[in-house]
Amino acid sequence: AQTVTQSQPEMSVQEAETVTLSCTYDTSESDYYLFWYKQPPSRQMILVIRQEAYKQQNATENRFSVNFQKAAKSFSLKISDSQLGDAAMYFCAYRSRPGANNLFFGTGTRLTVIP
Amino acid sequence: ETGVTQSPTHLIKTRGQQVTLRCSSQSGHNTVSWYQQALGQGPQFIFQYYREEENGRGNFPPRFSGLQFPNYSSELNVNALELDDSALYLCASSENRGSVYNEQFFGPGTRLTVL
């Protein structure tokens, strides 16, 4: 079974600084997707970034980038130039490819941005 | 384009009662997935509906059941409510295109409290 572990329940960062959120996962599959989702107080899950396991290049979306280490089963999220609007719960998630479309989520990291 | 909507926003029930939660999928989407997010946890997959048929189920008992309608909207029904059913229930819609990647778009959730 796939498991996703986020070992940092809470993190904080100064506005304009950089922060890295950690995620590890366990799977016996070789092809899969990894995601970072943001859940603000409004509760709606918003996709931040996606990584396909077969791609060696780390995904980047504006100020958000990942460090994907497939052999180590590690998938961290780096937020650069942190903004007040980045404050939220961040969830790491795994999805088989191909297969059912269900996502396996970690327990989340609460990010606080300090002005 | 209308996003994923869920109703009601909040709901309070007592143990043993039954509840129905509703989800309207995003325009053009034929698949709806339901997740349960307990307080302080990541979402857990309940089941998925594709073209009105259940298409995958997580580790939830049969008292969790669902429906999908011809317009691809969906209902989640929970019978014999237990205190542990208190959670945020999220639905996510997507366009199933076979092996091609399809993003899941989440609704704002329904907060269920069981007393």
Side-chain angles (χ1 to χ4, degrees):
Chain A
Q2 292 80 14
T3 58
V4 179
T5 302
Q6 294 179 251
S7 58
Q8 305 158 315
E10 297 185 358
M11 291 284 284
S12 62
V13 61
Q14 291 284 144
E15 196 175 2
E17 296 296 307
T18 296
V19 65
T20 299
L21 308 184
S22 301
C23 172
T24 59
Y25 60 95
D26 189 25
T27 183
S28 58
E29 298 170 335
S30 60
D31 200 10
Y32 46 86
Y33 295 106
L34 293 166
F35 305 85
W36 280 98
Y37 281 88
K38 171 184 178 182
Q39 187 178 41
S42 67
R43 310 181 315 199
Q44 193 149 6
M45 284 281 189
I46 301 165
L47 178 63
V48 174
I49 199 164
R50 176 184 93 241
Q51 174 81 44
E52 286 99 329
Y54 72 89
K55 290 185 177 179
Q56 293 190 354
Q57 187 173 7
N58 290 322
T60 299
E61 288 287 345
N62 300 313
R63 298 183 295 107
F64 300 87
S65 61
V66 299
N67 183 2
F68 173 48
Q69 301 290 328
K70 191 172 184 179
K73 297 180 181 175
S74 169
F75 182 61
S76 62
L77 173 70
K78 185 172 82 170
I79 306 175
S80 303
D81 185 25
S82 296
Q83 300 176 359
L84 294 177
D86 295 334
M89 284 292 293
Y90 285 82
F91 291 95
C92 178
Y94 172 104
R95 190 180 115 187
S96 297
R97 175 193 180 208
N101 289 330
N102 55 298
L103 293 158
F104 294 90
F105 286 88
T107 52
T109 297
R110 181 174 301 282
L111 179 66
T112 301
V113 180
I114 303 166
Chain B
E1 185 178 88
T2 306
V4 180
T5 60
Q6 293 186 243
S7 63
T9 305
H10 297 90
L11 202 53
I12 299 174
K13 292 285 189 177
T14 56
R15 274 186 304 175
Q17 285 190 312
Q18 179 266 344
V19 70
T20 297
L21 310 182
R22 295 176 176 82
C23 172
S24 291
S25 58
Q26 187 165 310
S27 177
H29 288 183
N30 54 19
T31 302
V32 173
S33 303
W34 286 91
Y35 293 84
Q36 180 195 66
Q37 186 178 11
L39 195 63
Q41 300 296 315
Q44 283 195 295
F45 176 70
I46 303 175
F47 45 55
Q48 181 184 85
Y49 277 82
Y50 169 60
R51 293 188 174 180
E52 304 178 55
E53 297 287 333
E54 188 178 290
N55 180 39
R57 188 179 183 94
N59 189 26
F60 280 82
R63 59 189 185 85
F64 286 78
S65 62
L67 282 173
Q68 187 179 31
F69 300 99
N71 66 355
Y72 302 128
S73 66
S74 178
E75 287 182 353
L76 164 65
N77 299 291
V78 187
N79 294 321
L81 283 167
E82 301 177 0
L83 296 179
D84 285 349
D85 296 333
S86 295
L88 179 68
Y89 288 85
L90 296 167
C91 83
S93 76
S94 57
E95 181 188 2
N96 190 329
R97 297 173 290 164
S99 60
V100 177
Y101 170 77
N102 54 82
E103 182 178 341
Q104 293 192 11
F105 292 84
F106 283 82
T110 293
R111 172 75 66 190
L112 173 65
T113 302
V114 182
L115 302 176

